[in-house]
């Protein structure tokens, strides 16, 4: 083991932090893709790094057992892994896997509940609209939403939620949630990803209705009616709704028909290569090829 063992993960964490903090000038659709891909790859890289360090630490503690470990799973330099590195790697890897499992279980439970509730409007005065993915999904709404919004405002809401369903935004959100569960420092990236998917749906609703101001007013009206905070003004100010409304009242974002795909593909190559390095896929491929040649 040497410093290069942790270099790919360090680069991935730096890239994730930069994407989470730096203002994006891309269309929200491309921002969401970049954030989701980077977050998911960083989480996998962290688990891969921790797993292989833990495996090599176990081989350091029990050299005789190392003979039963596949060659590709061991570091090439055969240097022993110190306790100060091996123990945290094993503990954090186990904790990360457990956190990912709990997050996936919570996500599945919420989805099952939402699908069951989507059969009829929710019996609450709070205006609620949620996109429920899946064959038995749809748009879950409350009686308060249907009562308090005008037909034009309801059209905006359904266009927004339909965008979530059409683009399968739940997959992006699941990637962000799992990444932040494995690596708590990625919570800011997860929050940025959630905002990007909402902005994506806002832009789709604005394009479908042809009235950006109407979409902004509808979003503000629904946000102000939420009882989550002591007062409606603070509820509006403390959420990301302000940023969404300001964006809708400004100039529509460029589609990024060229720069978006190029950045996304470039990011995929970089993050994919770095993640492959943490998983030692190059060693796996070499070992597989050597095994094939040995049978000939």
């Amino acid at each position: 083991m040497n410093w290069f063992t942790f270099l790919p993960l360090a680069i991935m964490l730096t890239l994730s932090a930069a994407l989470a903090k730096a203002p994006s000038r891309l269309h929200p659709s491309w921002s969401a893709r970049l954030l989701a891909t980077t977050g998911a790859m960083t989480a996998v890289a962290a688990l891969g790094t921790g797993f292989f360090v833990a495996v090599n630490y176990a081989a350091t503690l029990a050299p005789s057992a190392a003979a039963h470990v596949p060659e590709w799973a061991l570091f090439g330099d055969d240097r022993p892994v110190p306790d100060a590195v091996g123990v945290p790697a094993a503990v954090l890897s186990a904790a990360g896997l457990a956190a990912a499992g709990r997050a996936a279980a919570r996500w599945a439970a919420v989805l099952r509940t939402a699908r069951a509730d989507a059969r009829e409007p929710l019996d609450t005065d709070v205006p609620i609209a949620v996109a429920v993915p899946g064959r038995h999904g749809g748009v879950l709404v409350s009686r308060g939403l249907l009562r308090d919004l005008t037909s034009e405002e309801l059209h905006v809401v359904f266009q927004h939620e339909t965008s979530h369903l059409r683009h399968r935004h739940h997959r992006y959100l699941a990637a962000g949630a799992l990444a932040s569960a494995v690596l708590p420092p990625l919570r800011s990236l997860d929050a940025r990803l959630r905002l990007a998917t909402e902005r994506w749906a806002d832009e789709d609703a604005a394009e479908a209705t042809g009235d950006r101001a109407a979409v902004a007013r509808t979003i503000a009206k629904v946000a102000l009616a939420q009882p989550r905070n002591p007062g409606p003004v603070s509820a509006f100010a403390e959420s990301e709704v302000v940023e969404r409304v300001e964006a809708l009242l400004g100039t529509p974002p460029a589609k990024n028909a060229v720069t978006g795909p190029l950045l996304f593909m470039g990011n995929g190559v970089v993050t994919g290569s770095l993640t492959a390095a943490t998983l030692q896929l190059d060693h796996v491929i070499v070992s597989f090829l050597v095994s094939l040649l040995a049978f000939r």
Side-chain angles (χ1 to χ4, degrees):
M1 186 191 73
N2 52 43
W3 63 271
F4 183 76
T5 302
F6 301 96
L7 181 60
L9 176 58
I11 296 174
M12 293 286 287
L13 288 170
T14 302
L15 179 59
S16 295
L19 287 177
K21 298 297 183 183
S24 176
R25 300 188 183 278
L26 292 174
H27 189 276
S29 61
W30 292 112
S31 294
R33 292 182 176 101
L34 286 173
L35 290 166
T37 302
T38 304
M41 290 293 191
T42 303
V44 173
L47 291 175
T49 300
F51 172 78
F52 283 109
V53 171
V55 167
N56 283 265
Y57 177 62
T60 299
L61 296 178
S64 59
H68 302 287
V69 178
E71 185 65 27
W72 55 264
L74 300 174
F75 296 137
D77 54 16
D78 296 328
R79 297 180 186 177
V81 178
D83 295 340
V85 176
V87 172
V91 172
L92 292 176
S93 296
L97 285 173
R102 289 194 299 270
R106 287 195 302 269
W107 188 273
V110 169
L111 188 56
R112 285 195 300 269
T113 302
R115 284 174 177 169
D117 292 339
R119 299 169 186 172
E120 59 184 18
L122 294 174
D123 189 16
T124 176
D125 292 332
V126 179
I128 297 173
V130 180
V132 182
R135 181 181 301 177
H136 302 292
V139 179
L140 172 63
V141 298
S142 67
R143 298 189 188 279
L145 183 88
L146 298 175
R147 184 193 63 219
D148 296 340
L149 269 61
T150 65
S151 58
E152 291 79 9
E153 291 168 340
L154 286 173
H155 181 56
V156 168
V157 170
F158 279 100
Q159 288 295 332
H160 177 99
E161 300 303 331
T162 300
S163 173
H164 285 316
L165 295 173
R166 184 171 65 253
H167 298 298
R168 295 179 172 84
H169 287 165
H170 63 284
R171 297 180 180 178
Y172 296 80
L173 299 178
L178 289 175
S180 63
V182 173
L183 288 170
L186 294 186
R187 287 174 181 169
S188 59
L189 183 142
D190 180 37
R192 193 69 174 270
L193 172 58
R194 284 186 276 110
L195 174 60
T197 57
E198 291 301 321
R199 284 279 301 112
W200 186 351
D202 290 344
E203 291 298 330
D204 280 356
E207 190 171 320
T209 61
D211 191 343
R212 299 178 65 82
V215 177
R217 287 195 301 269
T218 303
I219 292 171
K221 181 176 179 178
V222 173
L224 289 171
Q226 302 302 313
R228 292 174 295 180
N229 293 295
V233 175
S234 63
F236 179 74
E238 291 177 3
S239 68
E240 296 169 337
V241 175
V242 171
E243 186 172 345
R244 293 169 58 191
V245 169
E246 289 178 344
L248 285 165
L249 295 178
T251 305
K255 293 290 187 178
N256 303 129
V258 176
T259 56
L262 287 177
L263 284 173
F264 180 62
M265 288 189 293
N267 180 74
V269 171
V270 172
T271 57
S273 300
L274 292 171
T275 302
T278 63
L279 297 176
Q280 303 200 100
L281 292 185
D282 53 335
H283 295 176
V284 175
I285 294 173
V286 170
S287 297
F288 177 72
L289 292 176
V290 169
S291 299
L292 285 180
L293 292 174
F295 282 112
R296 290 188 176 183

